[in-house]
Amino acid sequence: MNKHLLLSLFALLLSSLTACTDDTGTLGGDIMPETDFVTPYSEVFPVTSRALAVDSVLANTSTCYLGSIIDPETRAKTTCDFLAQFNIFENFALPDRSLMNKDKDGNIIADSCDIRIYFDSYYGDSLTTMKLSVQELDTAKVMKENVNYYTNLDPQDFVSTTSNVKKDLTYTVKDLARSEAANSGTTYYRSIVVKLPASYGAWILEKYYQHPEYFKNSYQFIHHVCPGFYFKTAGGIGSMLQTSLMAMNVYFRYTSTEDGTPKLVDGMQRMGATEEVLQNTTVSNKIPAALTDPANEYTFLKSPAGLFTEITLPIDNIIAGEHYTEEISGASISFRKFNKENPTPYDLPAPSSVVLLRKKEMFTFFEQGKLPDGANSFFASYSSSTNAYQFTNISLLIKTLKQERDAGAGVVVSDTEEQRHAKYAAWEAKEENKDWNKLVLIPVKPEYSSIASSTGTSTNVLQRVRNELGLSSARIEGGPGGNLKLNVVYTKSNR
């Protein structure tokens, strides 16, 4: 290669390098991600809270509670009753009337009729004597599917004033008439048997032949035959049972010719209290006033329908000064549970799960069947390792609260701090805005479904969240002194 050719190539290379330097002098800065110009940092803010007494929660559930107990830790008294409808199963059918056993006047005979309340879990002393009163409801005042009933509903609004189907009885959780082996047997071995008049069973059977259309579905049966019963705790204290399975049974005899020879055989028809029809628990709580003293350096979670924890978020501090224009990228808060000082075998368990949501949605959230969305509502399970309920990021909610108040108060970015505070004060003084920055921690009962993957593994997916109607109690760190801490992560621009 000659000298002139080498010089030409060198000049061309130098020209290229110079051009690159001229055109891409700021290329590195242009393609660097925006985050390289921000610095994350965090601040911790004290949060105030108080115990909030709640007289009722949504009652619609497939699990009912019956009994009366006193919480050994708080001395709060809780009494539960319930109302239940009974379901007619598909293809409901009785033998032909001509085959039914009858008296000398041709009236159908029912040998007996009863309601069985099955339960596999309970709280308290299994030998405590409890009193139960059972009354028939009224077909003219039936509980409706499209109505939200709460645990403070008045059962007398649904009880029949003309029916003579009433029963009072005593029971213990442990059936002393059974052997110890039977009492330690299989699931659902425990039951309370309510013996109704045999004449009531005969009336139901006769109704079937007079009006078969009343037995086509549960709606017709409830509105024309049996609207259900009210199960009331009428006395005793020391036990609470949980039931999700009840049945009303009518026993009779009829003539069978299956083997070619007519003979009288036993028959039984069962109507079940299932989720297809309504069961509503009523709750009466007597909460000592000391538990809701606003000076307490702790709060409570207590179910059913007893105590929630109300939290006030310090939004003014979170967005004060230069924070007003900074981005909030994270916010976490933890609610630590205090261990019981003098534990007993009858201590109530802590709620297994809770939701944290805006106070204004503490009822509508459940009425509308919502699920925690990570923006305005949050879900957490109790962690035994941290002894707390932890919410790792509620930053979206903090942003929403800031934006809502700004919009309502007419605040703009160009306002000074003093102007903002004046506008905020005027907006917050309105009655409808008094709870704008308040959240509520609520005990809940989650329901999951299992979703199978293509690899054969399964994942539990949260399908439904209901108010916890079971017994639970926990004393939570909090109060007016700012014991709760909210950790907020900001991003600050370096430019």
Side-chain angles (χ1 to χ4, degrees):
M1 186 178 294
N2 60 43
K3 182 189 294 186
H4 295 290
L5 180 57
L6 285 172
L7 290 174
S8 297
L9 289 173
F10 181 77
L12 180 61
L13 177 60
L14 183 61
S15 174
S16 299
L17 289 172
T18 304
C20 289
T21 302
D22 290 341
D23 293 340
T24 61
T26 59
L27 180 59
D30 289 340
I31 65 173
M32 288 286 284
E34 189 70 21
T35 54
D36 282 3
F37 291 103
V38 296
T39 300
Y41 71 100
S42 65
E43 287 193 24
V44 176
F45 299 94
V47 175
T48 60
S49 64
R50 69 183 182 99
L52 179 66
V54 181
D55 72 335
S56 63
V57 295
L58 197 62
N60 297 1
T61 179
S62 59
T63 302
C64 298
Y65 297 85
L66 182 69
S68 184
I69 64 100
I70 293 178
D71 178 0
E73 180 187 27
T74 64
R75 308 309 298 169
K77 181 181 178 181
T78 300
T79 302
C80 291
D81 314 319
F82 66 90
L83 299 87
Q85 298 174 341
F86 291 91
N87 180 35
I88 285 291
F89 298 107
E90 291 185 13
N91 304 316
F92 181 96
L94 292 173
D96 190 86
R97 192 181 190 284
S98 63
L99 302 175
M100 297 294 285
N101 190 34
K102 306 179 189 69
D103 63 18
K104 60 184 178 59
D105 297 321
N107 300 312
I108 292 177
I109 298 174
D111 296 322
S112 62
C113 180
D114 64 39
I115 296 174
R116 294 178 182 262
I117 305 170
Y118 298 94
F119 59 98
D120 63 343
S121 64
Y122 71 95
Y123 166 88
D125 187 347
S126 64
L127 297 179
T128 296
T129 299
M130 304 295 293
K131 295 181 180 180
L132 174 64
S133 177
V134 181
Q135 295 176 268
E136 188 180 21
L137 304 182
D138 195 332
T139 54
K141 298 180 289 186
V142 172
M143 294 183 291
K144 295 179 172 57
E145 289 282 351
N146 59 347
V147 174
N148 290 315
Y149 295 107
Y150 277 73
T151 54
N152 63 349
L153 64 85
D154 186 353
Q156 297 305 318
D157 291 341
F158 306 94
V159 170
S160 173
T161 57
T162 58
S163 173
N164 60 0
V165 184
K166 299 179 182 179
K167 184 72 175 182
D168 296 319
L169 66 150
T170 60
Y171 69 91
T172 59
V173 167
K174 187 174 185 178
D175 187 351
L176 297 179
R178 297 168 66 94
S179 68
E180 188 62 32
N183 274 322
S184 303
T186 58
T187 301
Y188 294 127
Y189 70 90
R190 301 183 184 96
S191 68
I192 299 172
V193 180
V194 182
K195 295 182 179 179
L196 300 178
S199 58
Y200 183 68
W203 178 82
I204 291 176
L205 296 175
E206 199 66 76
K207 206 75 169 176
Y208 171 80
Y209 298 106
Q210 294 172 357
H211 295 281
E213 69 275 16
Y214 293 169
F215 293 77
K216 287 185 176 180
N217 54 53
S218 297
Y219 180 89
Q220 295 297 327
F221 179 74
I222 291 167
H223 283 77
H224 296 99
V225 183
C226 175
F229 287 84
Y230 171 40
F231 301 85
K232 175 180 173 58
T233 299
I237 187 165
S239 76
M240 180 82 70
L241 61 86
Q242 172 184 323
T243 176
S244 57
L245 179 62
M246 290 165 280
M248 181 170 66
N249 306 304
V250 180
Y251 305 88
F252 55 89
R253 286 173 290 168
Y254 67 100
T255 300
S256 173
T257 57
E258 279 190 10
D259 58 0
T261 303
K263 61 180 178 180
L264 206 60
V265 298
D266 293 329
M268 187 265 285
Q269 183 59 58
R270 170 168 292 172
M271 286 71 74
T274 65
E275 194 158 3
E276 287 75 22
V277 289
L278 295 179
Q279 299 96 47
N280 292 327
T281 294
T282 69
V283 178
S284 172
N285 278 310
K286 292 184 179 179
I287 306 291
L291 301 187
T292 55
D293 186 340
N296 290 339
E297 290 299 324
Y298 51 82
T299 64
F300 280 95
L301 294 175
K302 187 169 183 59
S303 68
L307 295 170
F308 297 165
T309 289
E310 179 187 285
I311 303 100
T312 301
L313 289 181
I315 303 298
D316 279 338
N317 295 333
I318 294 171
I319 66 167
E322 64 180 8
H323 292 327
Y324 183 79
T325 56
E326 290 178 336
E327 179 69 18
I328 297 174
S329 58
S332 60
I333 189 169
S334 180
F335 298 88
R336 185 170 64 92
K337 180 180 78 70
F338 288 108
N339 293 324
K340 292 178 172 62
E341 295 177 355
N342 300 300
T344 74
Y346 295 111
D347 286 338
L348 300 182
S352 63
S353 303
V354 294
V355 293
L356 181 67
L357 45 79
R358 300 184 68 172
K359 186 178 180 180
K360 69 176 185 179
E361 297 178 353
M362 62 187 288
F363 298 115
T364 57
F365 177 86
F366 299 98
E367 290 177 357
Q368 297 171 12
K370 291 183 178 180
L371 287 173
D373 59 11
N376 291 293
S377 54
F378 308 85
F379 176 85
S381 296
Y382 170 70
S383 170
S384 58
S385 61
T386 61
N387 199 33
Y389 304 93
Q390 297 174 299
F391 297 89
T392 56
N393 196 353
I394 63 169
S395 60
L396 287 178
L397 177 56
I398 293 175
K399 294 175 187 178
T400 297
L401 294 177
K402 173 182 179 293
Q403 291 166 359
E404 284 187 5
R405 185 171 64 158
D406 280 359
V411 168
V412 293
V413 175
S414 59
D415 284 341
T416 64
E417 186 95 352
E418 184 179 358
Q419 289 172 327
R420 284 201 301 270
H421 282 300
K423 291 180 179 180
Y424 289 153
W427 182 79
E428 292 173 13
K430 297 178 181 178
E431 178 66 21
E432 63 268 25
N433 300 325
K434 65 178 182 178
D435 293 329
W436 74 277
N437 62 338
K438 289 181 171 55
L439 310 181
V440 182
L441 193 65
I442 303 174
V444 296
K445 183 175 183 179
E447 297 175 10
Y448 298 91
S449 63
S450 182
I451 306 298
S453 70
S454 57
T455 61
T457 59
S458 61
T459 303
N460 286 331
V461 178
L462 188 63
Q463 288 290 103
R464 186 170 184 174
V465 172
R466 288 175 167 171
N467 287 108
E468 176 61 81
L469 293 182
L471 293 170
S472 71
S473 181
R475 189 162 61 101
I476 304 295
E477 184 178 45
N483 294 322
L484 291 174
K485 305 298 181 184
L486 177 68
N487 186 69
V488 178
V489 178
Y490 299 93
T491 52
K492 177 185 291 186
S493 175
N494 292 328
R495 290 182 175 179

